[in-house]
């Protein structure tokens, strides 16, 4: 089961953090179709946030077709997002790289900026090298028209 970590210092809305963390768990294979998300009450007890915030996040995930609420049973994962399991060799390589960056004196923000710049180079304009768009860059405007 996923455990949400809320960072009030980021300026990112709490419900958005829950949505992002759920999507990350789906991408990494930590959550799979059929898995049950923690109840709103469990999240509230663990994070001290408003239950309506949890419900808003779960509604957003449901709207995106990632989870489904089953009355009296809970909220369950409908589909996965990624192909990068948590035990991927790429994750181990990235972990080693992050450790080297930390040992070289870079702090978290420095590492994030460096990594983001490399991602921008490798996935320029929201495209992979073969021209496919990745999920976050799929839509080019607020009306949701495909690029």
């Amino acid at each position: 089961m996923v455990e949400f970590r809320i960072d009030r210092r980021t300026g990112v809305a709490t419900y958005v953090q829950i949505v992002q963390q759920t999507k990350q768990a789906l991408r990494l294979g930590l959550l799979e179709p059929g898995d049950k998300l923690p109840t709103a009450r469990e999240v509230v007890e663990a994070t001290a946030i408003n239950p309506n915030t949890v419900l808003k996040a779960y509604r957003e995930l449901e709207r995106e077709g990632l989870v489904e609420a089953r009355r009296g049973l809970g909220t369950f994962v409908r589909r996965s997002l990624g192909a990068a399991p948590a035990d991927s060799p790429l994750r181990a390589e990235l972990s080693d790289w992050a450790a080297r960056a930390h040992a070289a004196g870079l702090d978290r923000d420095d590492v994030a900026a460096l990594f983001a710049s490399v991602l921008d180079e490798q996935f320029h304009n929201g495209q992979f090298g073969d021209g496919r768009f990745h999920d976050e860059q799929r839509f080019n405007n607020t009306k949701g028209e495909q690029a």
Side-chain angles (χ1 to χ4, degrees):
M1 184 179 292
V2 66
E3 292 182 23
F4 298 111
R5 296 166 316 283
I6 304 304
D7 186 348
R8 288 165 175 77
R9 297 169 293 156
T10 66
V12 176
T14 303
Y15 88 95
V16 172
Q17 291 183 50
I18 293 171
V19 169
Q20 290 172 339
Q21 290 175 34
T22 303
K23 287 180 176 181
Q24 182 177 12
L26 290 167
R27 282 190 178 90
L28 294 174
L30 300 173
L31 283 174
E32 297 178 346
D35 287 349
K36 183 179 176 184
L37 294 182
T39 65
R41 180 179 300 203
E42 291 168 334
V43 176
V44 168
E45 289 173 0
T47 61
I49 61 173
N50 188 302
N52 291 325
T53 302
V54 180
L55 296 174
K56 182 176 181 178
Y58 284 12
R59 280 192 305 272
E60 176 67 18
L61 291 164
E62 189 168 20
R63 188 189 64 75
E64 293 182 28
L66 298 174
V67 302
E68 66 180 328
R70 299 180 192 158
R71 185 172 291 285
L73 297 175
T75 304
F76 294 83
V77 174
R78 288 186 63 197
R79 67 180 178 92
S80 180
L81 277 179
D87 61 352
S88 165
L90 291 174
R91 186 182 195 293
E93 290 176 32
L94 185 56
S95 180
D96 290 344
W97 177 83
R100 289 194 314 273
H102 182 70
L106 289 119
D107 67 18
R108 182 183 176 94
D109 291 337
D110 296 334
V111 170
L114 183 58
F115 189 73
S117 73
V118 171
L119 284 177
D120 289 345
E121 290 171 12
Q122 294 298 315
F123 300 93
H124 62 286
N125 297 325
Q127 290 185 324
F128 290 102
D130 63 3
R132 292 181 294 130
F133 285 92
H134 58 88
D135 289 343
E136 284 77 20
Q137 297 290 329
R138 182 163 294 188
F139 297 98
N140 65 357
N141 65 32
T142 57
K143 295 178 184 171
E145 296 174 23
Q146 277 199 302

